[in-house]
Amino acid sequence: MRGRRLASLLAAIAFAAAPIAANAQQDATEREIERYREMISDPFSNPGYLNVDRGEAFWKTARGTKNVSLETCDLGQGPGKLEGAFARLPRYFADADQVMDTEQRLLWCMEKIQGLDTKDIIKRKFSPSNRKSNSDMEDLVAFIANKSNGEKLSQPLTHPKEKEAFLIGQELFYRRSATHDFSCQTCHGDAGKRIRLQALPQLNKHGKDAQLTQAAWPTYRISQSQVRTVQHRIWDCYRQMRMPAPAYASEGITALTVYLNKMAEGGEINVPSIKR
Amino acid sequence: MRMMKLFAAAAVFVLPAIAFADDRADMAKVDKVYADMFRDAKGEWAKRIELDETQKACSEYRNNLPQAEFEKVLKREKANVVMPADGKVMGDWKSGEKIAQSGFGLRFNDKPGTISGGNCYACHQVSKTELSFGTLGPSLLEYGKIRKFDPEEAKRTYAQIYNSNAVQPCSTMPRFGHNKVLDEQQIKDLVALLFDPESPVNK
C-alpha cells in the first residue's frame, strides 16, 4: 500500500514536471497537479508538517542569555496564545510601538524575552533550496501559522499605525523601479493573466484571488523542497523584478503584507499548503 | 419608510471593504520605508531603487496619467530613443527567438555579466510553435504579416522595444534599450523575429 502510494506520487511529480504540448494537455496537467496537491495536503504526507513539528520544539526550547523558551511571547492574542494569532497578523504592538508581522514579532521576542542574538537566526532566514532545512524562522512560522488553520484572515486596521502601514503597502504595490520598470501591479493588477503558463492572482482587489494566495502561505514549495513564508515570496518577487534583495523582516515587507492581507480578508487559512 | 430601510441595508451591504483605499500615504514616509527595505543595496544596485521621472509619474498615478503628465512623459521618452546609426533595424530572427525565450539577466542571483534576455514569451504569444506563453501583453502572432512587412512599421517597432514609453507612456513593457537591458543588435534580432517573413511569427 505504502509502495503504491509512493509510486503514484512519483508518477504525479514526473507528470507535473513534463513539458506541456497543448492546451488540452495543459488542462490535464493542471488537474493532475491539483490531484497531487490534494494527495500531499494530507498532514501525513506533506513534508511541511516536519517544519511544524520542529517549529514547536523551537518554541518550547529554552535559549538565549536568559535561557527561557518563547512560550511567553505575545503574538497579539496574549502571552503564549497561538490559536488564531497568525490570522490577525501583522498588527500593532504597543510594547514595541510598531506594526509587526509574525517574523518581526518572533525576532523581537527572541531578543527581549530570550536574550538571543538574532544575527545568526537572520543569516539562516531561508533554508538553501533542495538541501537540508536549517532555518529556525521557517520552522517557527510554519508552527505558528498552522495554529490558525480553519480561521479566516482578518487584517486589523484600527490603530493609526496599522492604517498607515496599509497605505504605505499600497504605494509600494504600485511603485515602479529598476531596469524593468516593474511593480507588484505589473503582474498582480488584473484578473486572469499568466506568465508563461503560470496563473497570476490579482492582488490589488479584495476577493478570491487574494484570499487563496494569502491564506496558503507558509507553503511547502516542491521545486525548492522547503517551507517558504510570505517573506520569501516577496523577496523572490523583487528578484524577478530586478530589484535588490529586500531586507528580511523590514517595515516595507510588513506594510506590503498588511495591504495584501486586507485584500485577502475572509480567506480560510490552511497551512502549510503545498505549491509548485 | 420600508423602502428607506431597504436602501440603508443595501448601502451597508455595498460599502467598499476598504473605506479609505482612496487615501494616500505620506510620500516622505513611503520613501523612508522603501529606502530602509533596500538598505543593503550598494553601488549599481542602489541606483536601481532610485525612480526616474517617468517611474515616479507612473507610480504616483498608477499608470493612468492625466493628459498633461501623459504628454510630458511621451515627449521625454521619445527624445530618449536612439535608432541604429546604420539605419538598419532588422537582424537575425533565429537569434531573436533565443532572446525572446530567455529570462536570464539582471536578477540578484544572476552572475554579473550574464547576457540578458528579453523574456518576451513570459508576457506575449510570439510564435505558433511555442505554447508556453503569457498573457500580460497582446499576442504578436503574424506581427509582420499583419503590417505587410512595412519597413516603416519595423522602425516604429524598433523604437517601441527600445523605449515602450515613447509609444505608450506607462506601458507595462520594460524600456529595453533605454535601460540597457538589451543592446542594439539584440533589439534588431527581435525586430527580425517579428518582421522577417521566414520567422515562425509569420509562418
Side-chain angles (χ1 to χ4, degrees):
Chain A
M1 187 60 204
R2 252 230 140 86
R4 243 176 67 191
R5 195 167 173 187
L6 190 72
S8 62
L9 212 112
L10 288 172
I13 296 169
F15 196 91
I20 289 104
N23 280 338
Q25 170 98 41
Q26 186 192 325
D27 292 343
T29 307
E30 278 294 324
R31 275 199 303 276
E32 205 52 28
I33 291 172
E34 200 39 57
R35 203 172 67 84
Y36 170 53
R37 246 183 222 142
E38 270 169 30
M39 199 159 57
I40 209 161
S41 282
D42 165 9
F44 295 102
S45 48
N46 179 347
Y49 279 83
L50 295 173
N51 300 72
V52 173
D53 290 346
R54 281 201 303 267
E56 183 171 11
F58 277 128
W59 179 258
K60 290 177 175 168
T61 303
R63 291 202 287 184
T65 53
K66 295 175 187 165
N67 198 34
V68 290
S69 76
L70 282 166
E71 285 163 300
T72 59
C73 178
D74 182 357
L75 293 164
Q77 305 306 310
K81 275 212 72 180
L82 295 176
E83 276 70 24
F86 182 79
R88 291 160 188 85
L89 283 165
R91 58 167 287 143
Y92 174 78
F93 288 91
D95 53 10
D97 188 28
Q98 200 186 334
V99 177
M100 295 169 141
D101 71 348
T102 313
E103 282 87 338
Q104 278 179 306
R105 189 60 183 173
L106 276 169
L107 291 169
W108 192 89
C109 285
M110 285 172 179
E111 284 167 16
K112 304 282 179 212
I113 297 173
Q114 296 184 299
L116 194 66
D117 180 9
T118 55
K119 230 186 249 148
D120 172 57
I121 302 270
I122 291 172
K123 220 164 116 187
R124 292 180 287 110
K125 58 190 183 284
F126 306 137
S127 295
S129 289
N130 305 311
R131 301 245 177 90
K132 198 168 182 274
S133 301
N134 70 345
S135 170
D136 303 20
M137 292 304 280
E138 283 171 348
D139 294 345
L140 276 163
V141 176
F143 165 63
I144 289 159
N146 177 256
K147 290 281 183 201
S148 280
N149 271 2
E151 300 246 6
K152 292 196 159 77
L153 272 174
S154 161
Q155 180 54 57
L157 292 183
T158 42
H159 193 278
K161 290 208 174 178
E162 290 167 349
K163 185 181 161 181
E164 183 186 47
F166 170 86
L167 292 176
I168 291 171
Q170 181 166 249
E171 292 304 322
L172 293 177
F173 188 90
Y174 288 97
R175 180 162 283 207
R176 302 184 68 169
S177 48
T179 54
H180 285 52
D181 298 335
F182 289 157
S183 72
C184 308
Q185 185 270 343
T186 306
C187 289
H188 301 290
D190 271 311
K193 300 285 185 188
R194 16 174 259 252
I195 282 189
R196 290 275 184 164
L197 294 176
Q198 178 67 48
L200 298 163
Q202 180 174 11
L203 300 177
N204 59 349
K205 192 180 148 218
H206 180 264
K208 216 167 178 186
D209 272 15
Q211 287 173 336
L212 289 174
T213 303
Q214 291 303 105
W217 291 82
T219 190
Y220 179 80
R221 295 212 54 184
I222 302 161
S223 57
Q224 305 173 12
S225 322
Q226 298 294 359
V227 157
R228 300 303 192 194
T229 71
V230 167
Q231 288 280 338
H232 188 274
R233 180 58 263 179
I234 292 176
W235 173 87
D236 204 24
C237 279
Y238 277 120
R239 178 183 70 86
Q240 289 168 313
M241 288 158 72
R242 273 70 181 175
M243 292 283 285
Y248 187 75
S250 54
E251 199 181 341
I253 290 182
T254 297
L256 265 173
T257 307
V258 169
Y259 177 74
L260 296 173
N261 279 3
K262 188 66 194 170
M263 297 302 152
E265 253 188 349
E268 192 179 313
I269 296 170
N270 184 13
V271 293
S273 68
I274 190 141
K275 286 178 186 286
R276 179 184 62 85
Chain B
M1 191 58 203
R2 204 168 173 189
M3 207 58 174
M4 259 172 74
K5 253 188 189 161
L6 210 75
F7 272 131
V12 169
F13 188 72
V14 297
L15 259 184
I18 303 119
F20 50 79
D22 291 336
D23 291 4
R24 298 296 289 263
D26 168 17
M27 270 308 151
K29 188 76 211 281
V30 176
D31 288 339
K32 215 181 119 221
V33 170
Y34 178 76
D36 171 69
M37 180 157 55
F38 298 107
R39 62 191 176 231
D40 301 329
K42 302 276 180 293
E44 188 256 337
W45 285 98
K47 285 204 191 89
R48 292 205 198 176
I49 67 162
E50 289 170 21
L51 277 62
D52 71 12
E53 290 305 309
T54 294
Q55 289 173 332
K56 262 186 213 160
C58 296
S59 302
E60 186 187 341
Y61 293 103
R62 297 174 189 168
N63 306 318
N64 297 309
L65 298 176
Q67 198 57 34
E69 280 294 325
F70 184 95
E71 301 296 342
K72 247 164 75 183
V73 172
L74 194 63
K75 194 177 161 201
R76 178 172 56 239
E77 298 299 331
K78 265 188 175 165
N80 280 337
V81 176
V82 182
M83 295 300 285
D86 63 6
K88 290 185 186 127
V89 296
M90 292 270 280
D92 168 20
W93 72 260
K94 282 180 186 156
S95 144
E97 167 68 12
K98 282 182 198 143
I99 296 161
Q101 290 279 5
S102 167
F104 288 103
L106 298 168
R107 297 167 299 191
F108 58 67
N109 64 322
D110 283 315
K111 275 191 197 129
T114 300
I115 292 169
S116 292
N119 210 10
C120 312
Y121 283 102
C123 301
H124 296 282
Q125 182 174 27
V126 185
S127 63
K128 284 170 199 161
T129 44
E130 178 56 87
L131 295 165
S132 174
F133 58 84
T135 56
L136 285 168
S139 170
L140 306 176
L141 273 188
E142 304 195 338
Y143 193 90
K145 201 168 165 186
I146 290 163
R147 287 161 182 78
K148 302 185 169 61
F149 303 110
D150 180 352
E152 284 310 308
E153 284 288 343
K155 272 187 196 160
R156 197 196 58 79
T157 301
Y158 182 97
Q160 188 166 7
I161 299 171
Y162 188 93
N163 189 337
S164 59
N165 281 240
V167 177
Q168 192 191 327
C170 301
S171 166
T172 301
M173 189 162 84
R175 293 169 286 171
F176 286 107
H178 176 63
N179 282 330
K180 300 190 167 40
V181 177
L182 300 175
D183 64 22
E184 185 181 291
Q185 188 57 48
Q186 285 179 303
I187 300 175
K188 284 182 176 184
D189 293 342
L190 288 177
V191 173
L193 180 66
L194 295 175
F195 277 91
D196 194 316
E198 293 307 310
S199 150
V201 169
N202 299 311
K203 278 279 179 190

